[in-house]
Amino acid sequence: MAFFKTVIAKLATEASSNRCNPFIAFVLGGPGSGKGTQCVKIAETFRFAHLSAGDLLREEMSSNSENGTMIHDIIKDGKIVPSEITVNLLRKAIHSSGNHKFLIDGFPRNEENRISFERIVGVEPDIVLFFDCPEEEMVKRVLNRNQGRVDDNIDTMKKRLEVFKKLNLPVIDYYSAKGKVCKINAVGTVNEVFEKVQPVLAALRI
Ligand code: ADP
Ligand code: C5P
Ligand code: MG
């Protein structure tokens, strides 16, 4: 708890000292950990723009763009879409939003995503929220999501969990080493989890 408070205090100081750049919070966690659900509540309460990398890719997939079929096949297989596509979708969304505080949900998923964002958008995140959830619970939530997603089935879910462990956890470790990660236990009701998130955002004073 003392360590947690030190991390927040450090992030709060940095957040208020350099405000020319947008404020960027990366929101990570395994598939079904509740990232999107919590982002909606954070965005409402703290007036962030919520940009979900997965939602942007699904929109691109449905828009008959030249990359649509490729994106569909990659998502269905639980793999990661080439970073250039995702980062360009995020860059456009950031620039057209009119906001200066962003929750970037489900990104970066791998090292290539991370490096590409830093290169193309040119900023590092101020904070990384990590929703930590047991696999069993994530599987249950994803299989009950009922949004007609091509990847919410047990076969793709198994692949997504492997991709999460192999490619996404190292990104979380990278930001942990930089003192940027706030790990939140994602078990509990939506409101119980939000009760744990709220003080983190409130302490940032942005
Ligand atoms: P993610 O964006 O991390 O994949 P979602 O926010 O879409 O996860 O949540 C996955 C599913 O679990 C959704 O159907 C959502 O309504 C549900 N859900 C989210 N948070 C909780 C929670 N704390 N307890 C139970 N179900 C949850
Ligand atoms: O975050 P979400 O669950 O919406 O992501 C769904 C899928 O979109 C991922 O499993 C992956 O195939 C793709 N995705 C990606 N790169 C990201 C975010 C999502 O390739 N940064
Ligand atoms: Mg989501």
Side-chain angles (χ1 to χ4, degrees):
M1 195 59 195
F3 171 74
F4 190 63
K5 280 190 178 150
T6 313
V7 170
I8 298 288
K10 178 174 165 284
L11 292 169
T13 310
E14 287 171 5
S16 53
S17 64
N18 176 21
R19 283 302 90 211
C20 305
N21 285 334
F23 183 93
I24 305 270
F26 284 159
V27 182
L28 296 176
S33 56
K35 301 180 293 298
T37 304
Q38 293 299 323
C39 280
V40 169
K41 293 178 79 69
I42 299 169
E44 257 172 36
T45 310
F46 295 97
R47 297 169 181 267
F48 275 72
H50 172 205
L51 304 179
S52 155
D55 285 349
L56 289 169
L57 288 167
R58 281 183 287 275
E59 270 168 38
E60 186 69 4
M61 178 176 104
S62 316
S63 72
N64 289 326
S65 82
E66 52 173 340
N67 293 318
T69 310
M70 177 189 50
I71 295 172
H72 171 274
D73 293 349
I74 292 174
I75 288 181
K76 187 150 193 269
D77 204 24
K79 298 214 169 86
I80 305 302
V81 173
S83 298
E84 200 191 334
I85 295 176
T86 315
V87 173
N88 275 318
L89 291 171
L90 285 170
R91 182 181 54 79
K92 280 189 226 154
I94 288 171
H95 288 144
S96 64
S97 92
N99 204 324
H100 67 285
K101 302 193 292 185
F102 297 94
L103 295 167
I104 311 227
D105 165 6
F107 183 95
R109 286 296 232 274
N110 59 13
E111 285 289 302
E112 193 208 13
N113 268 186
R114 177 182 73 70
I115 291 164
S116 177
F117 186 88
E118 284 170 17
R119 186 170 50 78
I120 297 176
V121 183
V123 286
E124 280 208 15
D126 295 274
I127 185 171
V128 178
L129 300 177
F130 168 34
F131 288 97
D132 189 26
C133 195
E135 282 193 13
E136 220 181 75
E137 178 67 19
M138 293 196 278
V139 172
K140 211 162 54 183
R141 290 183 189 176
V142 160
L143 297 184
N144 285 322
R145 182 153 42 192
N146 280 328
Q147 288 175 0
R149 283 174 49 165
V150 291
D151 54 347
D152 281 352
N153 56 74
I154 189 63
D155 290 339
T156 311
M157 183 56 180
K158 282 183 188 158
K159 295 181 189 174
R160 290 160 71 193
L161 288 170
E162 286 314 305
V163 167
F164 172 69
K165 284 186 278 191
K166 191 164 163 229
L167 302 179
N168 208 342
L169 283 179
V171 175
I172 295 167
D173 289 343
Y174 170 88
Y175 286 122
S176 282
K178 293 191 145 207
K180 293 195 171 188
V181 174
C182 283
K183 179 157 108 173
I184 290 142
N185 180 352
V187 178
T189 64
V190 170
N191 284 338
E192 281 165 354
V193 177
F194 189 59
E195 288 294 308
K196 296 178 231 172
V197 177
Q198 221 167 351
V200 174
L201 275 299
L204 291 172
R205 300 192 304 271
I206 42 142

